Amino acid sequence: MSNAFDWKQLAGKFIVFDGPDGCGKTTHMERLQAMAEGAGLTVRRLREPGGTPIGEQIRDVLLATKNEGMDVRCEMLLFMASRAQLVQECIRPALTAGELVLSDRYASSTLAYQGAAGGLASDAILQVAEMAVDGAWPDLTIIFDITIEAAFERLNPLYSKKKSAQWGLFQDRIEQRDHGYHERVRQGFLEQ
């Protein structure tokens, strides 16, 4: 009897990789994708926000530094709009076709970023999420952890050499937020 993993059991499953920026979720998702494809599975890899032409336009609005004044409710609703499009255009068809769906972020991110760090109630976020995802919830959500200091050093290589770089240098609108915000995001993930 073999102890080999039966990759076929992942066909038609939906797995989310999540955690604070810089935690390594994308790297691990790429590794799982390579192993699953090597075992003969068809894999659909997605990112949030984005993943569709409409979602990519929403991503541009969400992450643009010129939109700093965006209200947290507007931010949450835009993430959910991108997610709704992703579900209908990519996730549901891929699952129906028996593909393994891997997503870089999902509703767990909204709970951490706009909920724990942004101050919106988890119940309210989940109500909107229910409508947006229309029942397309992940079979598994993997949340990676990293200290905010270590994440910052990964995202800003000059920081680790000089320790003088500004927080958020060369990052998008959300990544530019202060250390306290990112610590609340991390705690939001840990609570999940």
Side-chain angles (χ1 to χ4, degrees):
M1 185 166 192
S2 172
N3 288 331
F5 180 74
D6 179 14
W7 288 92
K8 289 184 173 100
Q9 67 183 329
L10 293 181
K13 299 296 183 190
F14 178 22
I15 301 174
V16 171
F17 289 73
D18 219 333
D21 290 311
C23 70
K25 64 190 170 353
T26 306
T27 300
H28 290 290
M29 184 172 66
E30 289 169 352
R31 290 177 181 161
L32 179 60
Q33 178 183 3
M35 290 187 296
E37 288 175 342
L41 285 180
T42 300
V43 178
R44 178 80 57 104
R45 188 171 138 214
L46 306 167
R47 74 171 182 171
E48 280 213 344
T52 67
I54 291 170
E56 291 299 322
Q57 292 177 64
I58 294 171
R59 179 184 183 87
D60 290 344
V61 171
L62 277 164
L63 302 182
T65 56
K66 68 181 179 181
N67 295 331
E68 185 53 42
M70 186 181 299
D71 180 76
V72 70
R73 285 166 197 79
C74 177
E75 189 175 277
M76 183 268 295
L77 290 168
L78 285 171
F79 277 109
M80 292 297 183
S82 176
R83 188 167 297 133
Q85 188 68 28
L86 190 66
V87 165
Q88 296 309 316
E89 193 171 323
C90 298
I91 295 172
R92 195 171 306 287
L95 293 173
T96 300
E99 297 176 19
L100 169 60
V101 176
L102 304 178
S103 182
D104 189 333
R105 300 204 180 282
Y106 205 61
S108 42
S109 277
T110 307
L111 289 166
Y113 282 86
Q114 287 73 45
L120 294 181
S122 296
D123 292 347
I125 292 171
L126 288 171
Q127 284 180 334
V128 177
E130 283 289 342
M131 186 172 140
V133 305
D134 192 27
W137 289 102
D139 294 294
L140 176 66
T141 299
I142 302 168
I143 296 178
F144 294 89
D145 185 31
I146 189 170
T147 66
I148 299 308
E149 187 69 22
F152 184 62
E153 288 183 14
R154 280 187 183 179
L155 295 171
N156 298 280
L158 292 175
Y159 178 82
S160 60
K161 291 182 181 156
K162 291 185 171 184
K163 297 284 188 194
S164 63
Q166 294 178 355
W167 180 262
L169 187 62
F170 305 117
Q171 305 298 317
D172 66 42
R173 184 179 69 83
I174 294 173
E175 291 170 343
Q176 285 184 356
R177 293 179 178 161
D178 67 26
H179 187 278
Y181 175 86
H182 290 282
E183 189 56 50
R184 290 189 303 277
V185 166
R186 178 177 181 239
Q187 291 305 314
F189 279 120
L190 291 174
E191 288 170 11
Q192 290 180 62

